[in-house]
Amino acid sequence: MDFSLLLVLAVALSGVVYLLDVLVLKPKRRQRFATAEANTKEGLDPATSEKLLKEPWPVDYARSFFPVLLVVLVVRSFVIEPFQIPSGSMRPTLEVGDFILVNKFAYGLRLPVVNTRFIEVDDPERGDVMVFRFPGEPSVNFIKRVVGMPGDRIRYEGKQLFINGEAVAKELIEEGPEGSPQQLLLAERLGDAEHFIYNNPRDPGPQMREVEVPEGHYFMMGDNRDHSNDSRYWGFVPEENIVGRAFGVWMHWDGGLPSFTSVRRIE
């Protein structure tokens, strides 16, 4: 289900009904009321007046919902959009059940549904955690880390990431961290951003020969390197698929009571 499309349709429909009432239906109701009042010497009783001036139920609903839906559309399309993390591909940075906030204007303002950028702001930077539409299936949103910029040469062998022929620095923090006893917790630095990743020494993981990132595209990887469906498998993310930059976790919910103890900034 494309929620953006449904929201745009709801705003358009309620707006058309509301505008139709303002321009056509409401003046007609007032005219009928004025005519009836002029033809009654004693004046209209309250019940009759209310009946003549009463809005039809579609107009009443449209008038009530249109401003609310419009605000939601503007905020969700151009300011902030919430998402829930459905998989463990970004562990340990993001856990299953984390509710995150995505900055919708960090990479420029985009039209809802078509996702065309009409105001440029900044471009993604290496190390950003980015939400994007999955290539080939735009109704599905993915979240991964920006690893390769346009023109970069990317290679992944023996659990080591190489960018433009140089190994990306990483440091072992802990073997068998709590909650992931089979993993290695490592600190990795991409540009100015340092973050944690998981590697499983018992899992050979994917191997990828060197590829060059085309212009207008990005190479994305999950922080859970041996358990992430990312650019190593399906290729590059075009600029027009970008949704926004993830910047914070505001709630965690795994089926029990919502928890706000894990509120944090996404690095």
Side-chain angles (χ1 to χ4, degrees):
M1 180 185 298
D2 191 334
F3 183 75
S4 295
L5 177 59
L6 293 178
L7 185 58
V8 168
L9 291 176
V11 169
L13 179 61
S14 59
V16 167
V17 173
Y18 186 30
L19 185 63
L20 179 65
D21 181 64
V22 171
L23 297 179
V24 180
L25 303 180
K26 190 174 184 178
K28 287 185 177 181
R29 289 197 302 273
R30 288 180 172 176
Q31 181 62 43
R32 287 197 299 268
F33 173 80
T35 301
E37 191 174 42
N39 293 333
T40 304
K41 294 181 180 180
E42 298 81 8
L44 297 174
D45 61 89
T48 303
S49 298
E50 182 180 358
K51 183 178 180 181
L52 289 172
L53 293 173
K54 185 178 180 180
E55 297 174 338
W57 67 264
V59 173
D60 185 36
Y61 276 102
R63 181 173 55 82
S64 300
F65 285 110
F66 173 69
V68 177
L69 292 172
L70 182 61
V71 169
V72 172
L73 177 63
V74 170
V75 172
R76 189 178 182 274
S77 300
F78 306 125
V79 185
I80 292 177
E81 183 174 2
F83 288 90
Q84 182 182 12
I85 302 302
S87 75
S89 69
M90 281 297 292
R91 296 185 69 217
T93 304
L94 297 171
E95 299 288 342
V96 177
D98 280 347
F99 282 74
I100 66 170
L101 294 175
V102 173
N103 185 328
K104 298 298 293 287
F105 59 85
Y107 303 139
L109 298 183
R110 298 172 181 272
L111 295 174
V113 183
V114 296
N115 212 42
T116 302
R117 185 165 65 171
F118 64 95
I119 295 180
E120 295 186 8
V121 181
D122 287 323
D123 291 321
E125 296 182 0
R126 197 190 322 279
D128 286 357
V129 177
M130 188 171 79
V131 174
F132 56 92
R133 297 181 176 187
F134 182 61
E137 198 170 350
S139 62
V140 177
N141 291 309
F142 269 32
I143 180 168
K144 307 291 178 186
R145 192 175 295 276
V146 179
V147 169
M149 307 290 289
D152 282 345
R153 292 177 287 109
I154 306 296
R155 177 163 56 96
Y156 191 80
E157 292 181 356
K159 302 186 185 300
Q160 177 63 57
L161 174 64
F162 297 85
I163 300 178
N164 297 323
E166 296 186 5
V168 173
K170 58 182 181 179
E171 177 186 357
L172 178 63
I173 302 299
E174 185 179 359
E175 295 185 16
E178 183 180 356
S180 297
Q182 296 183 338
Q183 302 274 24
L184 300 178
L185 177 65
L186 303 108
E188 181 183 74
R189 178 171 290 277
L190 289 173
D192 296 330
E194 184 175 85
H195 56 275
F196 295 115
I197 65 171
Y198 277 155
N199 270 149
N200 187 339
R202 299 173 183 83
D203 189 336
Q207 307 293 318
M208 190 191 75
R209 62 179 177 80
E210 186 172 272
V211 295
E212 183 173 337
V213 184
E215 287 299 317
H217 291 72
Y218 297 89
F219 192 94
M220 313 296 297
M221 291 179 66
D223 291 346
N224 194 354
R225 292 292 163 81
D226 299 307
H227 304 281
S228 173
N229 180 20
D230 52 38
S231 290
R232 292 171 293 178
Y233 297 95
W234 40 256
F236 310 104
V237 174
E239 186 276 335
E240 59 266 23
N241 283 39
I242 293 175
V243 172
R245 179 173 60 81
F247 68 91
V249 176
W250 65 276
M251 186 182 75
H252 180 84
W253 182 64
D254 56 7
L257 293 176
S259 170
F260 297 93
T261 59
S262 59
V263 174
R264 63 191 185 277
R265 182 178 178 84
I266 297 174
E267 300 294 345

